[in-house]
Amino acid sequence: MPELPEVERAARRLRRVAVGRQIARIELLHPALQRQVSALDVASLTGCTIVAVEQQAKHQRVVLNDGRSMHVHFRMAGDWDVGISDDALPRHARAVLSLEDGGRVTLVDPRALSTLQIFAAGAIPKARLGPNPFSKQFTADWLGTALKRRRGAIKPVLLDQGVVAGVGNIYAAEALWEARISPRAIASKLSAPRRLALVGAIRIALRRGRGTRSRYNEAFEGRFRVYDRAGEACPRCGSTIRRIVQAGRSTYYCPRCQAR
DNA sequence: GGTCGCCTGGTA
DNA sequence: TACCAGGCGACC
């Protein structure tokens, strides 16, 4: 369940149990993962110590004591399950990381789209990523530059990790609602005040995602403002929330608050 | 920019 | 059965 807040949480969970521990064994259970990493490479990880778990946008990087690193991307549905080696494997377990101390971290992913790669020491892959949405680099000015040549609708552009790193389909819709910007507004035509509103709105939506993850909070606050709520009333104006498709993805928005 | 493929599961 | 799913790289 991975956009920025979810990946942040997952990385923290992994960090807590894995940093400073030695790898007893890694097993890849799904053919798609086995295709990505050779059996030899997997075996070579045994005995390595995990020295850090870094996370940037939706990317996670497990740094080993020999300088190599294991990169994990959850794609649509990945997550970490943390337990001990005696536990029964969780449903949809795709890879298992067993630690010397008996801990076990399992990559669970019903859709099996997650990716896992091993990089040699010093290899600096990293997709081209825009600023972290909470950093001071992420400003209305930055958006001005990033959106200048984008003549398409703003919503699909927000999914471009080079514009802002970590925003996905849900929070793009939520942020646009928050900023009262139509998902179909032409990206390059957003005024400076609207870009400023969007910067703030992205932070608000993501922060809400950070806080609103527990079942209690979800029940208390409701899930999202517009995402997955087609046909329901806009929490701000009461109009009926609509679903449209942009770039092959669902977009939810309020036609009144977010008029063009 | 839009569409497809990767994979599997949940739901109408 | 058909459609949908919080991502993204490859393709036109």
Side-chain angles (χ1 to χ4, degrees):
Chain A
M1 334 156 89
E3 286 190 41
L4 188 56
E6 293 79 14
V7 176
E8 286 175 337
R9 266 196 303 278
R12 240 178 279 134
R13 219 177 314 133
L14 173 63
R15 192 174 294 129
R16 207 177 302 135
V17 299
V19 170
R21 309 278 144 67
Q22 206 177 38
I23 296 170
R25 183 163 138 81
I26 292 186
E27 294 159 277
L28 303 183
L29 306 180
H30 194 280
L33 286 177
Q34 292 164 355
R35 257 178 267 129
Q36 290 169 42
V37 187
S38 78
L40 212 62
D41 277 351
V42 177
S44 74
L45 297 172
T46 294
C48 287
T49 298
I50 295 169
V51 298
V53 173
E54 295 168 359
Q55 171 260 323
Q56 190 181 5
K58 301 172 198 169
H59 302 260
Q60 295 175 79
R61 182 162 187 258
V62 179
V63 183
L64 306 173
N65 62 323
D66 63 6
R68 289 185 296 168
S69 56
M70 183 172 81
H71 290 216
V72 176
H73 195 295
F74 285 159
R75 295 292 179 118
M76 297 279 271
D79 200 6
W80 297 122
D81 172 272
V82 172
I84 59 170
S85 24
D86 291 342
D87 295 338
L89 271 187
R91 199 158 145 73
H92 310 310
R94 305 305 186 196
V96 181
L97 166 60
S98 302
L99 301 168
E100 255 344 315
D101 68 352
R104 188 190 68 193
V105 181
T106 306
L107 173 62
V108 292
D109 182 358
R111 294 183 67 181
L113 294 173
S114 289
T115 58
L116 191 156
Q117 298 164 274
I118 296 166
F119 289 102
I124 4 159
K126 257 309 103 65
R128 86 169 216 296
L129 292 174
N132 178 301
F134 293 105
S135 68
K136 20 181 225 304
Q137 283 75 24
F138 184 56
T139 61
D141 276 355
W142 160 257
L143 273 187
T145 308
L147 303 184
K148 192 183 300 190
R149 310 144 64 96
R150 304 297 203 109
R151 308 202 63 242
I154 182 65
K155 155 63 165 48
V157 171
L158 287 182
L159 301 183
D160 181 342
Q161 300 299 292
V163 171
V164 52
V167 174
N169 200 41
I170 290 182
Y171 295 111
E174 293 290 293
L176 288 170
W177 177 83
E178 197 67 46
R180 303 181 190 233
I181 295 171
S182 165
R184 296 197 253 222
I186 301 304
S188 59
K189 290 192 176 167
L190 287 183
S191 65
R194 311 205 91 195
R195 296 197 305 268
L196 184 61
L198 186 52
V199 167
I202 287 171
R203 290 180 177 147
I204 287 171
L206 290 172
R207 231 178 247 129
R208 201 175 277 138
R210 278 175 169 172
T212 309
R213 226 48 332 221
S214 77
R215 291 211 178 278
Y216 172 81
N217 277 334
E218 280 192 16
F220 188 69
E221 294 197 4
R223 344 175 273 271
F224 303 110
R225 300 304 193 259
V226 287
Y227 180 80
D228 202 23
R229 293 198 144 180
E232 295 179 38
C234 167
R236 193 162 45 208
C237 80
S239 296
T240 304
I241 293 166
R242 269 202 208 137
R243 172 185 182 270
I244 57 174
V245 175
Q246 296 179 289
R249 318 285 312 272
S250 290
T251 298
Y252 299 87
Y253 72 106
C254 169
R256 171 129 52 121
C257 296
Q258 298 170 260
R260 271 204 267 192

